[in-house]
Every structure is written in structure tokens, then in C-alpha cells.
Amino acid sequence: MEITFLGTSSGVPTRTRNVSSVALRLPQRKEIWLFDCGEATQHQLLRSDLRTSQIRRIFISHMHGDHIFGLMGLLASCGLAGTVSQIDVYGPPTLNRYVESCLRWSAMRLPYKLQVHTVEPGEVFSDGEFTVTCRLLHHRVPAFGYRVTESDRPGRFHVEKAQALGIPSGPLYGQLKQGKTITLEDGRTFDGRDFCDPPQRGRSMVYCTDTVFCDSAVELAQQADVLIHEATFSHREADLAFARLHSTSTMAAQVAAFAQVKLLFLTHFSARYAPGNPLQVEDLLAEAQAIFPNTRLAWDFLHYEIPREGSEAAPPENPAPPATREDKLPSQPVEKGVAVAKKTLSAIAINRATRQQMQQKLGIDAVTANAILERRRQQKFTCLAELERLYPQVAWDTLNVHF
């Protein structure tokens, strides 16, 4: 189960964040499930390593434009590609009318089977391997949170133990794998549970947006491996959150804490926290981590694979946003000819051409890197002393930082 964030902004896109969409990739069955499909989601897919041809199910949380305006364009492109046989779309009661109207008035004809399902609180989909359930959240329009739960897997069957006891291979091994008791022709009896490790718990992911804090989100997220929860506003702007029925960073953290989830991703950030503004998404992260320490910021194209129980979780990959045209202008040879700093580290020029070098050489995350670049672009600082004051967590003294 691999999560890729395709859009992490609320309401409108920004230079570094598109509007809402999350992809859940199931490599074992070569399927991709989307959660929401904001405007330009198909462009985000093109910039990712995900294949549009593998999209099989799309789950829509609610009917606000920043969550659905990319749906019809994506469905049309899937049809033109000719590589899709069926897509199932799930969402609120008015979703079917919306899709039918778009198909009708755009004269769109899809060459594959499209089925729209109206969801209600409870089980939405199940095929024995994965189950999707939903709960009604608290927003200005009917909005649903979704939970994907993987079925438990049988523990490892120790075939060498069965062979050592002279148990013939074949159907009997299958029965032992299922935990059944078998009896051999010589009268010996064996319990399958003695040959298998304990069952492996299935993984789970919960997606909650848009909503103000509500009990149904806590119930839906109980002991989930990953909770993706909106954090439109800072705790300092809680009045706005209650007025617009959105969550603050601290509300998302409270849901995670009450539900005892393993990892929380914050997403759906207001554009007011874009780089260069007084409050940054890092401030929202600090607010949430004060309540729920295992909180991460979502970023467009961030990729995270949910680990199986007992395996070590890899840290989320957090790449910088894809290069824009201005990133590709011929300003990159900035490091040529600069003096080598202490510890043989090259000087770092603080400009858009060196985003990747900043991350690699300074060891900072993409969010901080982009905040620094944006503040530099707006001439918010012009000397090393200001950098040290704004970002004390970075060991600037180990590098020859060039402006």
C-alpha cells in the first residue's frame, strides 16, 4: 500500500501545491485508487511515476470544486488512452447527477465501463482482500471520510517442519496453512497452527477531509496505520475553522491522538500559509506535534509506503515540487568557480537553481528548502545572520553560504 500525495492545497492551487487528491497504489494487483480529484489531478499524475492506466477506483469525499473539478477531465483522458476497461467512482448522492450532466453536455462517450456508486455510512466496497468503509464528517455539505483496510494475511507456513515429520506435500499442506487439523494414514494427527506463524495484521489508511473536529473521524481512524487529515488552518485561526467547518492543525492532531493512529499526515493547507507569509506550514506542524508527535506534513508528490506490522517504517520521501520553467533557466552554473568551504563542502547559492543541492548538502526537508527559496526571492533576508535567526535548526556554520 503506497500513498502518493497529488494535491495538498485547499480551495485554490498555489505555486507549489495543487488542490486535493491522494493516490493509493496497490502494487500486488497493479491498481491505483484515488481519493478526491481536484482540478489538474491528471497533470499531477503525469508528473508522478503513477500510471493512469492503473486507475481502478475513485473515492470522492464531497462535492466542492477543489475536490471534483479534475474528475471529468481525468475520466475523458482515460478513455482517449484506450488502456482502461472499467472505473468505479464512489461519492455523495449528487455525484451521479454531476457525472451524468457532464457526460451529456460535453457529448463525452467513454469506451470503458464507468459505474458511479452512492455511498452511505458503513461498508462501501469489499473484495476479500481490501475493505473500504466511510463515515459522514462535519462540513458545510455532506462529506465522507474513507478508510481502506487490508485483510489479515496468514502467517508463514514452515514447510521444512512438515517435511521433517514426513507429512506428504500436496493438499495436506494447504490444510495446514489454513490452520486445520489433519490425520495421516498412519494415524498421526497434526494441528496446522503448529506449523504457521501468527497471522499478519492487515494495514489501514484513513482519509478525512473536509471537516471540523468530529467524533465520526475519531471512530473511523481507530488504530489506523496512517491518518491523512485536513489542517486548513493554524490553531491561531480556530475561529475561522469553526466558521467554515474546517480543521486546524491541533484538531487533526486530536483526532490522531484519540484514535491512537500510528502516523498522521497533515494536508489541505490554506494558501495563506504559502512561503513568504507570516505563518508557514511548519508552524502548523509544530502545533500538531505538540499534541501528536508522530505527525508529518504532506507535500505534492510525497510518497510513503505503509509498512507491514513488524517491519521498520521507512521515512516519508519528501521531494521538492517539480521544476517550473523559471527553474530551468540557464542560471544553474552558479556553483562553478566558488571556493570550497570547510570540511570540503561546496558553497551553496541561495537561489532557485540550487533547491536540490540545498536539500542534499544541508540535509533539510523540502518544505524548509522551498520556504528559504521563496523568502530569498522576495528578499526577506540578504545575509547569513538572518538565515541563522530564521532557521536555527540548520547547521549553516558548516557551509560557505553564498548570496
Side-chain angles (χ1 to χ4, degrees), residues 336-351:
K336 292 183 178 179
V338 296
V340 177
K342 295 178 180 179
K343 301 184 180 180
T344 68
L345 293 173
S346 301
I348 303 298
I350 306 299
N351 57 41

Side-chain angles (χ1 to χ4, degrees), residues 87-99:
I87 293 179
D88 287 76
V89 183
Y90 306 79
T94 53
L95 177 62
N96 191 40
R97 286 164 47 199
Y98 173 77
V99 172

